[in-house]
Amino acid sequence: MRKLALAFLVVVTGRAEAAAQVGDPGLVRLQQEIERLAPLAGGSVGVAAVHLESGREVYFNRGERFPMASTYKVPIAVQLLTRVDRGEVRLDSLIALTPADLHPGSGTLTDLLDDPGVVLSLRNLVELMLLISDNSATDIVLRTAGGPAAVTARMRALGFDGIRVDRPTVRLIADWAGVDSIPPAAPNTAHKFQAVFEQVPDSLRMAAARRFTRIWRKEILRPETSDLLLDIMLRSTTGAERIKGLLPPETPVSHKTGTIGGTTNDAGIVTLPGDAGHVVTVVFVKASDKDVPERERAIAHIARTIHDYFLFNPAPSAARARNR
């Protein structure tokens, strides 16, 4: 079974820096190329690249905070699956959806399931959350995971002090759009949300947007639960033009994207060919005034640069093995 990793390193110093071993000028060159490419995205860019087998790493804007957008769905999944490992909830448990569970934003539940009477398993909901980034499924999973505070506490317990989950997606979208009051639960709630969003003046919407600015080693979850999470992320259907956009065809990437306003993110693990290993690749873009396809292209260029560097400059142990 493959060892893969996802690191949610909420990266990123007001300047570029290579957290590299002394005497590795190649990493400095990689850092410089990331710095050269970053302006293509517009706004601010944060990057983390960690070669898991050798521990070599490069960061750009490491100390700056970035909105996670839908990448925060992975910490939610980790907390939910922690409860599964503890026997507190079951993935095969069935959850009946109500009209109040259907929220605006990405996904299909709101578009397809207007009528009551829909019942899905918790595993179905986790897959919808990660495969197509469904927001309605996410808020149900978040609730089942124990809520935002429980997710943040789990991240703190794991040592990820830079990750904070403090609201469901419905509140996150409302805050980004400048909506102060979310409609009460009622039939056709999703349609009411849309009506409220459309009433927000452009000036307030823009102001709100400006304000809104260790799984690999299987130490966090049980091995089988880790495999489940990584397999779902490997099958993700979102963000084909981001980290994966310029990689060689069929390159395995377990990842999660996020998009809201001027924020466009992707974070995951790239599996390199042969024995070159795996690279955690995280590229976050915030406060960009460029169109999403342009931001995605910048992410793809940065990801390909990282991929090629570690492919052609493998860990010293791997290099020695090839030369024997």
Side-chain angles (χ1 to χ4, degrees):
M1 194 165 298
R2 288 177 306 162
K3 279 191 172 183
L4 295 176
L6 172 71
F8 259 171
L9 312 170
V10 180
V11 282
V12 304
T13 82
R15 57 185 177 83
E17 64 172 320
Q21 283 79 7
V22 175
D24 193 340
L27 285 179
V28 175
R29 186 177 295 276
L30 173 59
Q31 167 262 311
Q32 291 170 341
E33 182 62 7
I34 292 171
E35 185 172 14
R36 186 183 71 84
L37 292 169
L40 296 175
S44 298
V45 176
V47 178
V50 181
H51 186 260
L52 293 170
E53 282 74 11
S54 69
R56 291 173 299 162
E57 53 192 24
V58 169
Y59 298 98
F60 179 72
N61 282 340
R62 186 178 188 178
E64 191 170 339
R65 298 184 69 85
F66 284 77
M68 294 185 71
S70 285
T71 61
Y72 95 141
K73 293 171 184 178
V74 174
I76 292 172
V78 168
Q79 167 59 13
L80 184 282
L81 294 174
T82 297
R83 295 199 69 200
V84 170
D85 281 351
R86 292 171 179 168
E88 297 171 357
V89 296
R90 294 170 53 98
L91 286 174
D92 60 1
S93 61
L94 298 178
I95 297 176
L97 276 64
T98 70
D101 291 321
L102 302 179
H103 297 158
S106 61
T108 62
L109 289 182
T110 296
D111 293 336
L112 300 179
L113 306 177
D114 276 346
D115 298 324
V118 176
V119 178
L120 295 173
S121 72
L122 186 55
R123 176 166 179 161
N124 292 154
L125 292 165
V126 172
E127 293 215 357
L128 285 169
M129 175 178 73
L130 295 177
L131 289 179
I132 62 172
S133 206
D134 192 286
N135 286 341
S136 298
T138 299
D139 286 349
I140 298 169
V141 173
L142 176 59
R143 184 174 68 222
T144 309
V151 177
T152 299
R154 181 61 179 151
M155 294 299 102
R156 296 291 183 274
L158 294 170
F160 300 135
D161 294 336
I163 298 177
R164 191 183 80 242
V165 175
D166 55 15
R167 54 196 150 170
T169 61
V170 65
R171 184 66 261 175
L172 185 151
I173 294 171
D175 289 344
W176 166 73
V179 174
D180 292 328
S181 179
I182 297 177
N188 298 317
T189 297
H191 301 298
K192 290 188 175 183
F193 281 137
Q194 188 60 39
V196 170
F197 291 159
E198 290 173 354
Q199 293 171 10
V200 178
D202 287 344
S203 59
L204 292 181
R205 192 187 308 276
M206 292 175 64
R210 285 194 297 268
R211 291 195 304 269
F212 194 93
T213 55
R214 276 166 18 209
I215 297 172
W216 179 54
R217 301 188 192 282
K218 300 181 181 176
E219 297 171 346
I220 295 175
L221 301 167
R222 291 179 180 176
E224 58 271 24
T225 313
S226 299
D227 291 337
L228 169 66
L229 175 58
L230 291 166
D231 175 67
I232 294 172
M233 295 178 65
L234 185 64
R235 295 183 282 116
S236 174
T237 62
T238 63
E241 302 304 317
R242 299 186 190 182
I243 287 177
K244 299 171 67 174
L246 293 175
L247 297 185
E250 308 305 322
T251 299
V253 181
S254 290
H255 69 123
K256 184 70 192 77
T257 59
T259 308
I260 187 169
T263 292
T264 302
N265 300 336
D266 203 1
I269 298 10
V270 176
T271 300
L272 301 174
D275 63 350
H278 307 84
V279 183
V280 172
T281 304
V282 181
V283 187
F284 281 8
V285 178
K286 70 175 181 180
S288 176
D289 57 1
K290 294 193 175 183
D291 292 338
V292 170
E294 291 184 78
R295 303 177 212 164
E296 291 184 326
R297 193 71 171 175
I299 291 172
H301 277 297
I302 291 170
R304 181 60 191 252
T305 297
I306 292 167
H307 168 280
D308 289 354
Y309 175 79
F310 287 108
L311 172 62
F312 297 116
N313 296 274
S317 57
R320 286 196 300 270
R322 286 197 184 95
N323 293 329
R324 286 175 183 168

